[in-house]
Amino acid sequence: MIFTVLIPLLLACFVPLISKLKDKIHTGIFIFFIPFVIFLYYIQFVGSDFTTMKQTINWIPSLGVNFNFYLDGLSLLFVLLISGIGALVVLYSIYYLGKDERLGHFYVYLLMFMAAMLGVVLSDNIYVLYTFWELTSISSFLLIGYWHFNERSRYGALKSMLITVFGGLSMFGAFILLSVITDTTSIQSMIEQKDIILNSTYLPFILVLLLLGAFTKSAQFPFHIWLPDAMEAPTPVSAYLHSATMVKAGLFLVARFSPIFSSYEWFFIIVSIVGIITLCWGSYMAVRQTDLKAILAFSTISQLGMIMAMLGFGTDLAIYAAVFHILNHATFKGSLFMVAGIVDHETGTRDIRKLGGLLTFMPMTATLALFGTFSMAGIPLPFLNGFYSKELFFDSSIHLTSNGLSSFAEFLVQVIPYLAVFGSIFTFVYSMYFFFGVFGGKNQLSLLPKKPHEAPIGMLISPIILVLGVIVIGLFPNLVNGTFLAHAADAVKGTVAEELHILFWHGWKTPLIMSLTVVGIGIVLTLTRKKWAGVYRFIPGKLSLFKLYDIVLEKLNSVSKGITKQYMTGSLRLYVAIILGVTLTLTFITMFATGGVTIQFDNLADVRVIEVSVVFIMIVAAIGTIFARNNVAIILIAGVVGYGVAVLFVIYRAPDLALTQLVIETVSVVLFLLCFYHMPKLRKRDETKSSKSINIIISVGFGALMTIIGISAHSSKWFDSIADYFIETSYKLGGGHNIVNVILVDMRGFDTLFEITVLGIAALAIFSLVKLKKNKEAE
Amino acid sequence: MNDLLELTKQLIEITIVICVIGISISLLLLLYRALVGPSNADRAVALDGIGINLMGLAALLAIIIVTTKLNDVILLIGILLFLGTIAIAKFLEKGVIIDRNMD
């Protein structure tokens, strides 16, 4: 199994080579065989005696991250969709994309996506699943931005990236929590330990984070906003990614984890509500669109909402219907996107207001669209697969039970059938709007950029095959039932249930009446569409999630820019104030919180007159520097402090330090004098009272802090000093009487070495600063 | 003899205390000049004076703690004071310390 995932990735490396030949042979012809062979490989597993398969290849065993591939009914359904529709899409793209496009790029991205998607549905290891999940986001980003010279493409690509990666990261959070709780990285062993997960206190977090990932990927309300903007991608991409495969990854995720969560009440509530709202809102908004692909995008959103709702219901019937509709939706929506692409390709526009009456010009395309749209609308005809899954949807929505659930869930159970009918009515309306808007009515040839004509046969092959799928499943629904879908439904439920027979005629039961209601009201609404279209001015009116996204993005930018500007003012004084202020506060809090302040008066030496007088002079001089108003005066007064320090060293019997201090002090004075010639005259700083008082607070506070630290450090001696060792051994080991110098060059010579290095670097730096400045002047 | 030595020791101690107090007073007065001194030349001279007093202080300390290790310090203070004062004087006079080559 691993080879089917890796082969597209490996072969993607060779695509740029093949694409050099694109003037002779279209690159897509080579690419076509990859998904086709994968499809043929997996079709052999279809059958009523299907059993699950496992394959493990180590990647990072120490972290439990391995390529655990697991093929069950659900994976098989998705794998066949991905490879089958992938092959058809590649075939379609051969005719759709001309040789002047950057074909190499296109097929590399597409193969990347295909491999990633296969990896998502086959992975049993959550981390590998997440890896492939992000790879689908990235390759989808690349594909949406394929025409990168187009501003809308870049906008759509960025939007989808931000939203799906946001969801992906949330999902990663859920995965980490899951693997920490269950101590495994395999989804199947998590399902075995579902009691641990269901009893965990983190259960709400896990559920919400996981569902965020699924909802963003599957374009559920309110994260659906990226999907209409992703329609800037080439049509084969829209058909493949944004109808059949990637947007179903979220559904796959929910289905994959539903054996764990299905007994959790909030799973039912959240998933059902979000699904139903998405169904209603998507179908309601689809009628408003004027762009063919936008209609299809909102239609995809609403159909995904419907599947999501069914996964949320969690009854045997609903899960079966969900799996069935995943298959059905992929067939008719894929074909409809291709039809929209053909119309765009042959007339030059996708604007439904300019199109019309194309039935006579494009009879083949019109026939394909007819089957696609009627199947999507769920019209009760025995050769359309959409009807079956829609009726199963109604059936499952009225058979929800609220036993032992909270009152809110009970209310939900009552409301769901009505919402389902409401959403389906609009589904009917936009399906008819799509078909009759393009192919019915009068033609307006003057508005079209090109003269319309039938598409080349090669372009029609893929939609024909998909529509054949619609019809075959429609005529013989039980063909895919026991052999294929039942296994998928079992995988979602986690148990093997008895087989379900899909019948066209159930007799006069509630679902059929609901279907007929949908058709009845739908026809009325379609015919009077112009009259009630004004309702869109009030709902959603000016409020729109698209605008909200733009505002949020813009606000995020401007607010963070504002915050950064608040403290990154370029003023060094402010930065130093912040650094010192934060250090001050944190250290003070830490010291007092941990009881670090200790003041003890034992172990103190006697104070002598000579020390007092020297320190007094130093204090007076130090305070004097603050108030001095003259450059040279400050230097000279600071010199007093420096010499005072030297005398303190003398008093405390450190002649070496005193020598060094004296030299350094003198050199600094001279250096200061050197600089001052070039520096501006010290002027009175124009400080406000508040900034001055803040400065005083910080400086006094810092002084106090250092004093307290010094006193506390002296008061709390925990160990004996190692000075005795140096005193004893400086002559014995070091061969010198001067202990300070023995320590510097012998005992701790490394420090000296690097201090020498520091001085060397400083000298070089000064030299180069002076020299480079001259060179700059020369330029 | 011992009495004489004892007397000398006490005499030295008393002398040192008096000297330290004297130097301290002198330092304070010089500090006043350094802080207030109307011109920078006053401050330079005050700093020079402080340095010389420090030499004395160091010498007294050397006597108190009976060591010869501080002699270097005393000499160094002398040299550095001279250099420092020259530098300051040149700065006050010309505005620069090191003349550029005339080229």
Side-chain angles (χ1 to χ4, degrees):
Chain A
M1 274 185 290
I2 183 161
F3 294 106
T4 56
V5 178
L6 292 184
I7 280 173
L9 272 183
L10 276 178
L11 293 180
C13 303
F14 296 100
V15 171
L17 286 177
I18 303 172
S19 71
K20 303 265 184 222
L21 302 171
K22 70 176 178 183
D23 290 329
K24 292 192 193 109
I25 309 169
H26 196 284
T27 316
I29 294 170
F30 298 103
I31 308 299
F32 168 74
F33 293 101
I34 300 168
F36 189 62
V37 167
I38 295 174
F39 182 76
L40 288 182
Y41 173 75
Y42 279 105
I43 199 93
Q44 60 163 323
F45 293 109
V46 175
S48 40
D49 54 346
F50 171 77
T51 48
T52 56
M53 265 178 61
K54 265 187 182 171
Q55 190 181 9
T56 302
I57 286 157
N58 282 352
W59 182 16
I60 316 173
S62 53
L63 294 178
V65 182
N66 296 315
F67 288 106
N68 293 336
F69 286 104
Y70 180 75
L71 185 74
D72 61 358
L74 186 67
S75 316
L76 186 65
L77 168 68
F78 274 90
V79 163
L80 287 176
L81 280 181
I82 293 161
S83 54
I85 296 184
L88 295 177
V89 160
V90 171
L91 192 65
Y92 177 76
S93 71
I94 294 172
Y95 294 91
Y96 187 83
L97 290 174
K99 288 173 181 170
D100 49 339
E101 299 277 3
R102 293 164 302 130
L103 293 177
H105 290 77
F106 182 79
Y107 288 111
V108 168
Y109 302 157
L110 200 70
L111 284 179
M112 248 171 81
F113 172 78
M114 199 179 288
M117 201 63 213
L118 288 171
V120 165
V121 297
L122 285 172
S123 294
D124 186 43
N125 188 298
I126 47 173
Y127 294 121
V128 175
L129 173 61
Y130 173 72
T131 309
F132 285 120
W133 184 277
E134 291 298 13
L135 195 57
T136 63
S137 295
I138 292 166
S139 49
S140 159
F141 168 78
L142 292 170
L143 283 167
I144 296 169
Y146 178 61
W147 287 317
H148 56 76
F149 37 80
N150 202 331
E151 202 270 325
R152 294 291 309 167
S153 289
R154 297 199 300 270
Y155 173 79
L158 181 66
K159 194 176 190 177
S160 76
M161 182 80 165
L162 286 176
I163 292 177
T164 53
V165 168
F166 160 73
L169 285 174
S170 309
M171 189 186 82
F172 191 47
F175 281 177
I176 290 172
L177 280 174
L178 277 174
S179 81
V180 167
I181 290 170
T182 58
D183 199 25
T184 171
T185 52
S186 153
I187 297 170
Q188 292 307 314
S189 18
M190 280 175 190
I191 291 172
E192 280 162 22
Q193 307 181 46
K194 69 176 184 178
D195 293 336
I196 299 176
I197 299 170
L198 286 174
N199 293 325
S200 156
T201 45
Y202 297 108
L203 181 61
F205 289 108
I206 296 173
L207 187 69
V208 168
L209 290 174
L210 194 74
L211 289 180
L212 265 180
F215 289 166
T216 50
K217 201 76 164 177
S218 277
Q220 299 294 301
F221 189 88
F223 305 110
H224 64 276
I225 50 174
W226 65 268
L227 190 59
D229 281 309
M231 291 301 131
E232 298 298 327
T235 303
V237 173
S238 309
Y240 188 39
L241 272 68
H242 306 130
S243 72
T245 53
M246 188 179 93
V247 287
K248 293 208 172 90
L251 300 175
F252 173 80
L253 192 76
V254 171
R256 182 51 95 206
F257 281 93
S258 76
I260 299 179
F261 296 111
S262 55
S263 52
Y264 185 44
E265 187 193 350
W266 282 100
F267 177 78
F268 162 69
I269 293 175
I270 298 175
V271 178
S272 307
I273 285 187
V274 170
I276 281 284
I277 290 176
T278 314
L279 165 67
C280 295
W281 187 250
S283 57
Y284 172 72
M285 290 297 286
V287 188
R288 187 197 192 191
Q289 309 302 319
T290 54
D291 179 68
L292 288 188
K293 279 172 85 176
I295 299 174
L296 292 177
F298 276 101
S299 145
T300 305
I301 292 168
S302 100
Q303 302 278 323
L304 293 171
M306 177 175 147
I307 302 170
M308 191 64 90
M310 289 191 277
L311 288 173
F313 296 167
T315 56
D316 285 7
L317 188 67
I319 286 173
Y320 185 81
V323 175
F324 194 26
H325 199 68
I326 287 175
L327 177 66
N328 294 343
H329 177 250
T331 54
F332 65 70
K333 189 52 67 64
S335 68
L336 282 178
F337 264 107
M338 290 175 185
V339 163
I342 290 171
V343 170
D344 184 17
H345 206 261
E346 306 306 336
T347 63
T349 182
R350 289 199 317 245
D351 192 332
I352 200 161
R353 289 167 300 189
K354 294 182 187 165
L355 296 164
L358 293 180
L359 185 63
T360 48
F361 294 95
M362 309 164 85
M364 296 275 283
T365 318
T367 317
L368 297 174
L370 180 81
F371 283 112
T373 48
F374 278 43
S375 177
M376 182 159 76
I379 290 175
L381 290 172
F383 50 88
L384 295 174
N385 58 5
F387 167 67
Y388 298 109
S389 40
K390 177 131 302 179
E391 200 168 58
L392 286 173
F393 172 54
F394 288 145
D395 203 2
S396 60
S397 76
I398 54 174
H399 282 108
L400 286 176
T401 50
S402 55
N403 289 342
L405 296 179
S406 65
S407 55
F408 181 66
E410 226 164 273
F411 167 73
L412 207 61
V413 166
Q414 303 294 323
V415 172
I416 279 174
Y418 297 100
L419 288 172
V421 170
F422 175 81
S424 302
I425 290 170
F426 278 94
T427 308
F428 183 89
V429 174
Y430 72 70
S431 301
M432 296 305 115
Y433 168 57
F434 181 88
F435 180 72
F436 290 106
V438 177
F439 297 103
K442 276 185 279 180
N443 60 39
Q444 315 172 57
L445 293 183
S446 56
L447 289 174
L448 297 179
K450 285 190 201 168
K451 192 174 166 4
H453 57 80
E454 187 54 86
I457 184 68
M459 218 169 184
L460 288 168
I461 294 174
S462 302
I464 285 173
I465 292 173
L466 284 173
V467 166
L468 275 179
V470 170
I471 296 169
V472 169
I473 299 173
L475 287 175
F476 311 104
N478 290 316
L479 191 70
V480 289
N481 181 3
T483 54
F484 183 34
L485 292 177
H487 299 304
D490 290 344
V492 178
K493 273 176 297 206
T495 54
V496 179
E498 59 182 297
E499 205 174 298
L500 199 86
H501 281 282
I502 306 169
L503 298 171
F504 176 68
W505 182 252
H506 287 282
W508 287 103
K509 292 215 176 122
T510 329
L512 186 66
I513 294 166
M514 285 164 91
S515 285
L516 292 177
T517 319
V518 167
V519 174
I521 300 178
I523 289 173
V524 174
L525 281 181
T526 312
L527 293 176
T528 58
R529 192 178 60 81
K530 292 244 162 62
K531 294 204 176 67
W532 56 267
V535 74
Y536 286 105
R537 280 210 299 276
F538 303 105
I539 305 170
K542 284 184 178 166
L543 302 166
S544 133
L545 286 163
F546 293 85
K547 278 184 194 148
L548 183 71
Y549 167 83
D550 289 337
I551 291 170
V552 165
L553 211 61
E554 196 201 333
K555 279 279 168 215
L556 215 61
N557 263 332
S558 61
V559 168
S560 43
K561 199 185 259 177
I563 291 173
T564 311
K565 270 189 180 163
Q566 282 288 313
Y567 67 91
M568 299 296 283
T569 54
S571 149
L572 271 179
R573 198 195 298 179
L574 181 66
Y575 299 163
V576 172
I578 291 172
I579 292 169
L580 292 184
V582 170
T583 315
L584 192 64
T585 337
L586 288 183
T587 322
F588 255 125
I589 290 171
T590 315
M591 279 189 78
F592 281 100
T594 58
V597 184
T598 45
I599 298 173
Q600 289 174 353
F601 291 103
D602 52 345
N603 195 22
L604 291 183
D606 295 328
V607 183
R608 285 176 293 173
V609 186
I610 191 163
E611 289 153 10
V612 172
S613 52
V614 170
V615 169
F616 176 74
I617 288 165
M618 282 171 65
I619 290 172
V620 173
I623 292 171
T625 53
I626 301 173
F627 297 100
R629 290 271 171 260
N630 179 313
N631 276 341
V632 181
I634 291 175
I635 277 307
L636 297 177
I637 300 170
V640 176
V641 182
Y643 284 129
V645 173
V647 172
L648 279 185
F649 286 141
V650 169
I651 293 172
Y652 293 119
R653 303 179 195 186
D656 295 297
L657 287 183
L659 287 175
T660 319
Q661 167 68 24
L662 282 167
V663 176
I664 295 296
E665 184 58 39
T666 313
V667 171
S668 325
V669 170
V670 173
L671 275 178
F672 275 124
L673 290 176
L674 265 177
C675 306
F676 275 3
Y677 177 72
H678 300 283
M679 275 165 69
K681 280 267 180 308
L682 200 68
R683 59 193 160 78
K684 205 172 158 59
R685 283 170 291 180
D686 41 347
E687 285 177 321
T688 58
K689 262 207 172 114
S690 64
S691 75
K692 203 168 186 173
S693 51
I694 286 172
N695 286 350
I696 291 173
I697 288 170
I698 289 177
S699 55
V700 170
F702 213 78
L705 177 69
M706 286 302 147
T707 313
I708 290 176
I709 289 177
I711 293 173
S712 303
H714 184 263
S715 302
S716 48
K717 265 211 174 81
W718 292 357
F719 310 103
D720 289 333
S721 155
I722 61 161
D724 292 335
Y725 170 79
F726 290 123
I727 294 169
E728 265 175 41
T729 56
S730 89
Y731 185 69
K732 263 191 274 174
L733 296 178
H737 289 290
N738 188 330
I739 301 172
V740 175
N741 290 356
V742 168
I743 291 174
L744 280 179
V745 299
D746 206 333
M747 311 274 197
R748 309 274 296 268
F750 256 121
D751 296 354
T752 315
L753 175 66
F754 291 110
E755 270 153 31
I756 291 168
T757 319
V758 167
L759 287 178
I761 290 171
L764 282 175
I766 291 166
F767 179 76
S768 51
L769 275 175
V770 173
K771 280 289 169 193
L772 286 178
K773 195 186 161 213
K774 274 188 178 165
N775 287 346
K776 206 175 178 183
E777 277 169 359
E779 273 169 17
Chain B
M1 192 64 188
N2 275 339
D3 290 350
L4 199 66
L5 273 177
E6 200 63 31
L7 190 72
T8 326
K9 209 174 169 188
Q10 279 181 10
L11 209 62
I12 286 176
E13 273 176 14
I14 292 164
T15 318
I16 285 169
V17 170
I18 293 169
C19 289
V20 166
I21 291 167
I23 288 177
S24 297
I25 293 166
S26 139
L27 276 173
L28 283 175
L29 293 174
L30 283 164
L31 180 69
Y32 174 77
R33 189 48 56 216
L35 288 176
V36 177
S39 72
N40 281 328
D42 292 317
R43 293 195 177 93
V45 173
L47 196 63
D48 197 43
I50 287 173
I52 291 165
N53 277 299
L54 293 183
M55 283 170 76
L57 203 58
L60 286 173
L61 275 167
I63 296 170
I64 292 174
I65 58 181
V66 197
T67 176
T68 56
K69 299 272 178 357
L70 291 178
N71 296 356
D72 298 344
V73 180
I74 297 163
L75 288 175
L76 196 76
I77 295 178
I79 297 167
L80 290 176
L81 270 179
F82 174 70
L83 288 176
T85 312
I86 293 287
I88 295 165
K90 201 168 175 190
F91 178 77
L92 293 175
E93 186 75 10
K94 288 181 142 184
V96 289
I97 296 174
I98 301 164
D99 292 313
R100 297 216 173 181
N101 290 335
M102 303 296 179
D103 48 37

